[in-house]
């Protein structure tokens, strides 16, 4: 008998609702695409600076996954945020000041975590984002604890490997029992550093969450699809969304070992074309790239 994971193929169309992007306006698509481009070009600038040796601490780039927080933040905002190491795009999508993130990555006291957190521990009081400790998955029970006392909904983002830590299960169960307003998100890139999921486990996070009584969906990383489900799930918290995605670069650092299983950025542009926004794609891409490069140039000039 095949295990649950093997029965659910990794494809860019997994769980896709046909024409889901048509459920949103063109203005929405333009704003979403702008944020996605901002996150993506920001990461390319981090890579350039890192490759020049300007960063003292390890970096964790979200290239290939940069559209996930953009989609979540577009429909789920004003929340407390508990993410893990791959979180530049989470910070930017939820309104974090890009200049403070640049400073943080350069270990400057003017960084969002006073230069002491670095890439792996992005903390910002301004946007209610709590820096990660480095212990995989511990942000999940901490997020649930925060939800017990918070007056806002709580977002926690984990990876498919962090989802295997035992303290996640107690946290999910406690959130269900106490009906806490937590949205659990798993950025499932099918990798724990280099080990693929079926080597590590035979069960799905979505199946586990449903077993505990949480509403949960397991979908591909189309941003309109994510926004659609997050909108629905946010009415039934606590809830979980497992998003199958592809890491574009190495676990840490800026290397690349080949093309990802699918190129979501290219697929997003296809959807923009289908929506009749062909002409906006190039304009948004080049404007955003120029803006991001300007921010980095300005910051790098400062000593
Ligand atoms: C409790 C614990 N075990 C192991 C590690 C070492 N470690 C750091 S990141 C990582 C993999 C994380 O994978 P995932 O949660 O899927 O996130 P991704 O890097 O794929 O975004 C591991 C094993 C750790 N930091 N903490
Ligand atoms: Mg992973």
């Amino acid at each position: 008998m095949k295990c649950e994971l093997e029965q659910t193929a990794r494809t860019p169309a997994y769980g896709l609702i046909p024409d889901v992007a048509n459920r949103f306006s063109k203005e929405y698509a333009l704003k979403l695409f702008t944020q996605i481009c901002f996150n993506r070009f920001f990461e390319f600038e981090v890579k350039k600076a890192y490759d020049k040796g300007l960063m003292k601490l390890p970096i964790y780039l979200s290239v290939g996954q940069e559209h996930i927080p953009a989609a979540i933040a577009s429909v789920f905002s004003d929340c407390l945020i508990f993410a893990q190491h791959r979180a530049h795009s989470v910070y930017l999508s939820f309104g974090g000041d890009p200049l403070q993130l640049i400073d943080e990555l350069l270990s400057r006291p003017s960084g969002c975590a006073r230069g002491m957190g670095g890439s792996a521990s992005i903390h910002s009081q301004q946007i209610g984002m709590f820096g990660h400790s480095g212990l995989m998955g511990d942000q999940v029970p901490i997020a649930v604890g925060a939800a017990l006392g918070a007056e806002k909904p709580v977002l926690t983002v984990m990876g498919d490997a962090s989802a295997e830590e035992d303290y996640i299960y107690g946290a999910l169960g406690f959130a269900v029992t106490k009906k806490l307003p937590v949205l659990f998100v798993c950025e499932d890139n099918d990798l724990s550093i280099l080990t693929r999921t079926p080597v590590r486990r035979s069960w799905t996070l979505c199946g586990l969450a449903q077993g505990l009584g949480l509403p949960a969906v397991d979908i591909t990383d189309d941003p309109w699809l994510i926004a659609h489900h997050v909108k629905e799930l946010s009415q039934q918290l606590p809830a979980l969304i497992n998003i199958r995605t592809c890491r574009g670069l190495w676990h840490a650092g800026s290397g690349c070992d080949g093309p990802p299983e699918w190129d979501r950025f290219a697929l997003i542009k296809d959807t923009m074309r289908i929506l009749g926004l062909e002409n906006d794609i190039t304009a948004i891409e080049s404007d955003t790239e120029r803006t991001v490069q300007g921010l980095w140039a300005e910051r790098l000039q400062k000593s």
Side-chain angles (χ1 to χ4, degrees), residues 23-101:
R23 300 183 185 197
F24 296 81
S25 68
K26 291 191 178 181
E27 289 69 34
Y28 173 86
L30 292 170
K31 215 172 148 202
L32 176 68
F33 186 64
T34 305
Q35 185 66 53
I36 292 169
C37 288
F38 193 94
N39 295 350
R40 188 172 177 83
F41 291 122
F42 188 93
E43 294 296 59
F44 290 144
E45 293 307 303
V46 181
K47 175 173 162 43
K48 278 189 216 163
Y50 179 82
D51 290 342
K52 282 186 200 151
L54 299 178
M55 284 156 198
K56 295 182 203 150
L57 295 170
I59 56 161
Y60 299 89
L61 294 171
S62 61
V63 174
Q65 307 180 190
E66 68 279 354
H67 52 282
I68 296 177
I72 297 169
S74 71
V75 289
F76 190 81
S77 55
D78 197 21
C79 54
L80 298 181
I81 306 158
F82 296 82
Q84 55 177 29
H85 50 274
R86 205 174 302 288
H88 302 172
S89 293
V90 175
Y91 171 88
L92 295 171
S93 300
F94 281 87
D97 179 347
L99 295 176
Q100 286 188 32
L101 179 53

Side-chain angles (χ1 to χ4, degrees), residues 73-295:
S74 71
V75 289
F76 190 81
S77 55
D78 197 21
C79 54
L80 298 181
I81 306 158
F82 296 82
Q84 55 177 29
H85 50 274
R86 205 174 302 288
H88 302 172
S89 293
V90 175
Y91 171 88
L92 295 171
S93 300
F94 281 87
D97 179 347
L99 295 176
Q100 286 188 32
L101 179 53
I102 296 172
D103 286 356
E104 185 61 34
L105 297 171
L106 296 170
S107 302
R108 294 176 174 167
S110 45
C112 56
R114 300 189 193 154
M116 291 187 285
S119 175
S121 187
I122 299 166
H123 184 94
S124 166
Q125 275 192 335
Q126 274 172 18
I127 63 163
M129 179 163 175
F130 294 79
H132 189 232
S133 72
L135 186 74
M136 267 169 53
D138 80 340
Q139 72 279 13
V140 175
I142 294 171
V144 169
L148 201 55
E151 283 161 13
K152 291 179 173 190
V154 172
L155 168 70
T156 183
V157 184
M158 68 191 110
D160 53 293
S162 299
E164 291 160 13
E165 299 297 349
D166 56 356
Y167 30 83
I168 307 283
Y169 318 137
L172 289 171
F174 190 75
V176 174
T177 306
K178 299 290 175 189
K179 299 187 176 57
L180 298 175
V182 185
L183 179 64
F184 299 91
V185 174
C186 179
E187 290 190 355
D188 177 358
N189 58 18
D190 193 28
L191 286 169
S192 174
I193 306 183
L194 286 172
T195 310
R196 297 213 165 265
T197 317
V199 180
R200 307 180 334 245
R201 59 173 147 107
S202 58
W203 47 270
T204 63
L205 179 59
C206 196
L208 179 98
Q210 285 169 344
L212 285 166
L214 276 99
V217 290
D218 192 356
I219 55 165
T220 191
D221 61 352
D222 176 274
W224 287 271
L225 184 69
I226 295 170
H228 165 78
H229 281 294
V230 168
K231 247 170 125 178
E232 288 204 335
L233 291 173
S234 63
Q235 303 306 311
Q236 321 164 47
L237 298 176
L240 181 140
I241 180 165
N242 187 77
I243 302 166
R244 294 169 183 237
T245 191
C246 307
R247 191 178 79 199
L249 299 172
W250 281 348
H251 169 69
S254 62
C256 178
D257 49 12
E261 285 169 274
W262 62 85
D263 179 350
R264 181 57 69 188
F265 190 63
L267 294 170
I268 290 168
K269 290 199 270 185
D270 288 346
T271 304
M272 294 290 285
R273 282 184 203 101
I274 293 166
L275 293 173
L277 300 170
E278 163 102 55
N279 294 338
D280 299 280
I281 298 173
T282 326
I284 293 174
E285 272 189 284
S286 53
D287 283 358
T288 317
E289 187 173 23
R290 208 173 322 113
T291 304
V292 172
Q293 286 179 346
L295 295 174

